[in-house]
Amino acid sequence: MDVDEVRNRLLAEGRITEDLRLVNIWQDLRDRSDAEFADLEGMTPLDPVPEEDGEVESITDFYDVFRKPSTGRVIRRNYLRTDGSLLLADVQDSKIGRRFILHKSTGEPIAEWRRPRDFYNAWIEAMVTEKPAVLIVDDKKISEFVHEISGRSFALILFMHGSHLRQPWNGAYGEFLPRRLETMRNFDRFDIVGVQTRQQAEAITARGISGANIELLTGELPPAAVVTEAPADRPRNSIVMIANLVALKRVDHVIRAVSQLKDRRVDVDLTVLGEGAERPRLEKLVADLEVSDRIQLPGYVNDVPARLQSASISVLTSTSEGLPLALMESMGAGCVPIVYDITYGPRDLVGQGQNGFITPFGDVDALADQIETFLELEPERVASMRAAAVDTVERYLPETGYRRWQKVLEEMRPAPLTTVDARESGKGIDAKKVHVSPTQHGSRVEIEVNQLDDATAAAVQLVLSGRKLNSYVLSSDPKIESRKFGRGTVLTFTVDDEKFSESAGEIFDVFLRRPRDPWNAKRRISTPKDFSPAPSGKREWYATKHGNLSVRPRA
């Protein structure tokens, strides 16, 4: 990254102001003196740095890659200063493993880290020195590790653009996206998590996460995308769709709906604005269905606002979304949305029959039916819906969004984090007693442990973590009972069977966890010797061969 070039371009475009700093980690490190390297907390290198080996590939003036000749695998990366001296070596040590070794300008190793995230986190801590400070993260890779900084002096905000689930259309209890796994496991270590829709917030809290740090912080709709008055002089049967031509967007569903309407002798025209790898397949589908006279695929165009204002209906048929900007832009232009019930977005934007229509997820027949019904509405009703669509998206204009962010920043009160090494697993807890009994909708789990103070006991969470699936179930707010004799504390949790609804056949291991502790600090529950398998509904709570509490489907 050429920081100066990017900054000058953004200044010229009026997108940033002179007082904004733009920083890149490698340029920052290249510009630091040897004395300033002390700000990065790392281990003192005690082992010799492996010699350079393999075939060298110079990627840039500041970055070399070394590959193993026999396999082409990268075995070393050298990050260089402007004078060509070694700044940092990312090397696989045959005895130790991966090492990130920072070097002085004179060539001596000065600090090292064993994981990429530890190195990046050390640099972030060294950079954020002013108080008060807020670090806002909207990148999936960074959010997967930045939460591990326990001793931070700054507040941490995560902004989520899209879904946190692999298949959100199935419900709230499925697997997390692999690239969101550590973020969701450590969700409460962020002071604020901004989501774009209430529907996503509800899906997160449904699995037991408290949601105390969730705020509705939406993306921005450009001011020019919202018309002051929706033009009424537009063909009623003109449909527009803004979408990349990729499988996720399911453009073929809209094409099939148009084909159905043609068979019913309903005259509609569809224009899909976008480009992508699915174009050949979609063009063939248009030809096969004989609807080329009704469907246009013009690719990327420069007159999107004009095309939206001349269309009457907008459609959205994706498998999933965050908060679809394309839908908001079309509504801002006065298009009436007819969309699938997608997670997430439409339910936050579309009031059924008021400013648009939501049809069942993936149902092409219902989509075609709704378009036909819309074409039969009275002109006054259509005009009212257009105006309501425009009014709806005004709350997503920049100034409104800025006020939401301002309110959150002003009211935020970061809670302290316990200093726990995120690389170390918590030790097990020896339970004095474990009793599981069925309830109407799940299980009641009683766990007696050595006496806990009231504040700690009230905060403890029961965590059920999937063995194979990237999923977990969380139960909080236990009922607490202190045993005067034996100095024990009984924690009683309820676990709803519905939370297992998308984990057929999966075994979950059971832990106790303090809120805001790193995920690895959760503690396995060791059952007493007299504990016997306890059936509860469709699941059975049992002790593993190591004596730890787990739950599995009943045979």
Side-chain angles (χ1 to χ4, degrees), residues 435 437 443-448 462 475-481 489-494:
H435 179 72
S437 56
S443 303
R444 179 184 293 107
V445 184
E446 299 176 28
I447 303 170
E448 183 176 351
L462 187 74
S475 179
S476 303
D477 302 319
K479 177 183 175 183
I480 303 166
E481 180 184 353
T489 300
V490 179
L491 307 171
T492 302
F493 299 90
T494 56

Side-chain angles (χ1 to χ4, degrees), residues 65-83:
V65 166
F66 295 75
R67 299 182 184 275
K68 190 173 182 179
S70 60
T71 63
R73 182 173 61 89
V74 175
I75 55 177
R76 183 186 181 113
R77 297 175 175 87
N78 280 354
Y79 297 86
L80 310 174
R81 293 182 174 84
T82 53
D83 63 3

Side-chain angles (χ1 to χ4, degrees), residues 326-368:
L327 176 59
M328 291 196 294
E329 288 179 337
S330 68
M331 293 175 69
C335 293
V336 175
I338 300 178
V339 299
Y340 278 168
D341 191 5
I342 299 164
T343 45
Y344 307 102
R347 291 190 193 179
D348 278 55
L349 294 168
V350 180
Q352 187 73 355
Q354 299 171 9
N355 63 357
F357 300 95
I358 299 177
T359 65
F361 181 82
D363 191 334
V364 174
D365 295 341
L367 182 65

Side-chain angles (χ1 to χ4, degrees), residues 31 51 91 148 185 201 283 406 452 475 482 494 507 545:
D31 292 343
E51 295 290 332
V91 61
E148 290 190 0
R185 285 174 167 176
E283 289 178 335
Q406 182 180 4
L452 300 174
S475 179
S482 296
T494 56
I507 296 175
K545 64 180 180 181

